[in-house]
């Protein structure tokens, strides 16, 4: 799913550099790229709980085009904004702060994702598990469901097998897990819209 985003980033960064050489003004290119980033993130934030792979891919491509048009030009903007003797320092500082931002962003959004997912599991999955037969309830490891795996705490059957053999109630648990993950992930994109703006 992420390969199309990478290809879009590469294609749009090359296209943006050619466009910059022709028009000589990076402001319009960067603003267009940032607009595509906001649109791409918004499309991902409001994707719904049952998207197909293609629903995700075309939205990711929009985001990738925006990122590709924007990030490489930031270096040019910074290099043009400082005196010649400070170009190296400015470029290195830009990369340094981008890496810090990526690390902090991953940590902060990881905490937000875990918090929202825990709340969603409590609200959606636990009531669905309570509708299963008692023996099946004890075979489900909620922590493994949160991690996206389906094992057991101590039994020989996996949670996936237990849910599959539990009929409609098992399907409701699986749907509740999907809904919880979908809501948690799209919430991250929703909060990202504000950063992109």
């Amino acid at each position: 799913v992420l390969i199309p985003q990478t290809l879009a980033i590469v294609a749009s960064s090359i296209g943006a550099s050619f466009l910059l050489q022709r028009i000589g003004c990076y402001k319009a290119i960067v603003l267009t790229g940032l607009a595509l980033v906001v649109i791409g993130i918004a499309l991902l934030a409001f994707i719904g709980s049952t998207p197909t792979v293609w629903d995700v891919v075309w939205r990711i491509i929009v985001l990738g085009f925006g990122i590709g048009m924007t990030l490489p030009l930031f270096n040019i903007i910074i290099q043009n904004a400082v005196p010649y003797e400070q170009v190296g320092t400015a470029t290195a500082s830009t990369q340094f702060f981008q890496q810090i931002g990526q690390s902090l962003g991953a940590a902060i959004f990881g905490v937000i994702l875990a918090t929202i997912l825990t709340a969603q599991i409590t609200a959606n999955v636990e009531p669905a598990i309570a509708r299963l037969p008692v023996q099946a309830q004890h075979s489900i490891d909620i922590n493994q469901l949160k991690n996206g795996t389906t094992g057991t705490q101590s039994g020989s059957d996996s949670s996936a097998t237990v849910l599959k053999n539990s009929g409609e109630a098992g399907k409701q648990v699986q749907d509740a897990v999907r809904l919880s993950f979908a809501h948690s992930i799209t919430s991250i994109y929703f909060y990202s819209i504000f950063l992109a703006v």
Side-chain angles (χ1 to χ4, degrees):
V1 171
L2 293 177
I3 289 172
Q5 180 185 25
T6 303
L7 295 175
I9 289 171
V10 170
S12 62
S13 63
I14 292 170
S17 65
F18 282 131
L19 192 57
L20 178 61
Q21 289 174 1
R22 286 193 166 224
I23 64 174
C25 177
Y26 48 73
K27 186 174 183 179
I29 299 169
V30 170
L31 290 177
T32 302
L34 288 173
L36 285 174
V37 167
V38 172
I39 291 167
I41 291 173
L43 288 170
L44 288 164
F46 298 105
I47 195 169
S49 60
T50 57
T52 65
V53 171
W54 297 112
D55 290 335
V56 175
V57 165
W58 75 263
R59 288 167 169 85
I60 280 278
I61 289 173
V62 172
L63 179 60
F65 274 118
I67 292 170
M69 290 177 71
T70 306
L71 284 185
L73 295 183
F74 283 159
N75 281 332
I76 295 171
I77 292 169
I78 297 226
Q79 289 167 355
N80 287 333
V82 297
Y84 178 75
E85 61 272 7
Q86 294 179 358
V87 167
T89 304
T91 304
S93 296
T94 302
Q95 293 173 352
F96 174 71
F97 286 113
Q98 282 177 349
Q99 290 172 354
I100 287 179
Q102 290 169 1
S103 299
L104 283 174
I108 291 168
F109 280 116
V111 169
I112 293 170
L113 177 65
T115 303
I116 294 172
L117 182 59
T118 299
Q120 287 294 309
I121 293 283
T122 301
N124 298 325
V125 178
E126 289 180 6
I129 290 174
R131 291 191 286 272
L132 292 172
V134 175
Q135 186 174 353
Q137 289 178 27
H138 295 299
S139 298
I140 304 295
D141 184 352
I142 201 116
N143 290 321
Q144 289 183 336
L145 292 177
K146 285 182 194 176
N147 293 329
T149 59
T150 51
T152 63
Q153 292 172 325
S154 59
S156 58
D157 292 330
S158 71
S159 293
T161 304
V162 171
L163 293 175
K164 190 174 184 180
N165 294 335
S166 297
E168 184 60 31
K171 183 179 181 314
Q172 289 174 359
V173 173
Q174 291 173 328
D175 291 343
V177 170
R178 282 191 204 99
L179 179 66
S180 298
F181 272 95
H183 180 76
S184 302
I185 292 168
T186 55
S187 295
I188 295 297
Y189 284 111
F190 178 76
Y191 295 127
S192 298
I193 293 171
F194 300 104
L195 288 176
V197 170

